[in-house]
Amino acid sequence: MRYFFFFIVICLGAQAQEIGFDEDRKEKVSTTFKSGYLINLKTTETIHKKELDFRVDHRFGDIAGKAGGAKTFFGLDQSTDIRIGFDYGLTDNLTIGIARAKGAGTAIQLLEASVKYKFLEQGLNQGSPISAAFFGSAVSSGMDPSEDPYSPVAFQKGIHRLQYVSQLILARKFSSSFSLEVLPTYVHRNFTAFGDQNGFFSLGVGGRLKMTKRMALVADYQLPFRDTEYLEKVWGNKYYNALGLGLELETGGHVFHLNFTNATAIQESQIITETTRSWGKGEFRWGFSIARRFSFDKSK
């Protein structure tokens, strides 16, 4: 947590710089974030109408700690999660998506369907002081069910395989260099381990600090409001909040993210509920994201 607040302090220092907005213009703020994703969080950005965003996310193993170090080439010999996804713009403010992920929690072979709708845009001088969007996803596991009836993957019915995430994304571009977002989130799992909660709330916070024309620092943090005392006592797992720090690079047509996080998973439903690695123990990993956008609008 202290790393994230250190990042925010640096970002707020950028407010002493020129804001970069034309106060005489009555237009909407554009590109609050450069991508629809930070590291572990979504942003308010949507795909333009008739555009397709192809994205590949990859997470390696622990850099240090008991499972890391030179014996695993600092995690590069391992892969905790891989995700391949497609997002399509039905309108400029409405994006739908599908994805397939390896999965890094107890559930694997994950298939995701999602929707994001931006219903409020920040004004440059007048109008709303923030941008706002809704993100919702449903994730299903295709793995064989466990024979242990107390396991979180002992699926007895098809509906037990489903997990849902609902997020309200509130963002503000404070200057041409700095953007901040807050994400109240609700997670619901139809089937869980014995003694675990099916549904609970979480709060995400993320920011972006532009360093050069094509490079920015990004960071995000997840704070679940969940009682894990029983799970830690009975199952022996200690849960941590997901913290991500990274570098965002735009290469012209591509947006490349190089990041470090203690979350092993890529899907929100697993990041929030099953992060069992600690930054303090060196159990963080290198990851990257590559995105490429294609336009099917013949008028452009």
Side-chain angles (χ1 to χ4, degrees), residues 2-3 60-69 71-72 74-75 78 240 260-264 276-286:
R2 63 180 180 272
Y3 301 104
F60 290 97
D62 293 353
I63 290 178
K66 295 181 180 180
K71 62 181 180 295
T72 63
F74 304 98
Q78 302 171 338
Y240 297 90
F260 296 89
T261 179
N262 60 319
T264 57
T276 57
R277 299 292 198 273
S278 168
W279 274 84
K281 298 178 181 179
E283 297 169 337
F284 58 93
R285 70 216 65 263
W286 175 52

Side-chain angles (χ1 to χ4, degrees), residues 142-172:
M143 67 180 293
D144 292 332
S146 171
E147 295 181 359
D148 180 359
Y150 298 102
S151 168
V153 291
F155 309 124
Q156 301 173 8
K157 301 177 182 179
I159 198 171
H160 289 170
R161 298 177 178 273
L162 293 173
Q163 303 177 358
Y164 309 96
V165 173
S166 299
Q167 292 182 324
L168 179 62
I169 311 173
L170 307 173
R172 177 172 172 82

